[in-house]
Amino acid sequence: MSAALSPDSIRAIEHDCAKLVARYANRNDAADWEAVTALYAPEGRMARPTAPDDWITGREAILAAFKARPPRVTRHVCSNVEITVVDADTALGESAMLLFTGEGAPKVGSFHDRFVRLPDGWHFAERRGLLTF
């Protein structure tokens, strides 16, 4: 972590990045794919928990991937959010995820994130999901 950052700056970055994690879950559950996609950096990439090694890169491709999914009702519950500030423009994150779909057993997993600060604020540079069970 950069020695130049004050404790208040570090807390602000942690807060902003944790808020992205919550916003992602809420917009995903609302099927607001444009809002979800806007949370990524323009060349950001994501890998779904069901395919953690299958990267989708760029906002256009991410939006297309969400729109291609069959409609469903979901509720993502994210917790244990831990943000590590690397420097003034980069942070890493890990969070636990519980997914309810109304069909079958809930899915339990995690997200591993890399955040980047752009002129308009913090975004996901990378979001990788993993299923535990």
Side-chain angles (χ1 to χ4, degrees):
M1 177 172 21
S2 173
L5 293 175
S6 71
D8 286 342
S9 294
I10 292 168
R11 278 190 293 278
I13 293 168
E14 291 168 339
H15 171 80
D16 290 351
C17 293
K19 193 171 180 179
L20 274 179
V21 170
R23 185 173 293 135
Y24 186 95
N26 291 332
R27 299 305 172 268
N28 193 327
D29 291 336
D32 187 348
W33 308 133
E34 287 80 9
V36 170
T37 302
L39 299 175
Y40 283 90
E43 294 305 317
R45 65 185 200 151
M46 75 166 204
R48 289 186 168 131
T50 55
D53 297 318
D54 184 13
W55 290 100
I56 302 165
T57 303
R59 285 182 180 162
E60 267 187 45
I62 292 169
L63 180 59
F66 277 114
K67 286 184 171 183
R69 263 196 336 203
R72 64 183 185 161
V73 176
T74 62
R75 174 52 72 189
H76 291 78
V77 179
C78 296
S79 66
N80 303 356
V81 178
E82 183 178 7
I83 307 297
T84 302
V85 177
V86 176
D87 57 40
D89 297 314
T90 312
L92 303 173
E94 182 177 351
S95 58
M97 180 270 305
L98 180 59
L99 172 62
F100 297 92
T101 62
E103 299 174 7
K107 291 179 173 62
V108 177
S110 60
F111 283 104
H112 299 264
D113 302 313
R114 186 169 49 88
F115 304 96
V116 62
R117 186 191 335 237
L118 300 176
D120 64 339
W122 286 92
H123 295 272
F124 291 104
E126 185 173 286
R127 178 148 245 239
R128 182 176 191 224
L130 298 165
L131 281 181
T132 307
F133 56 90

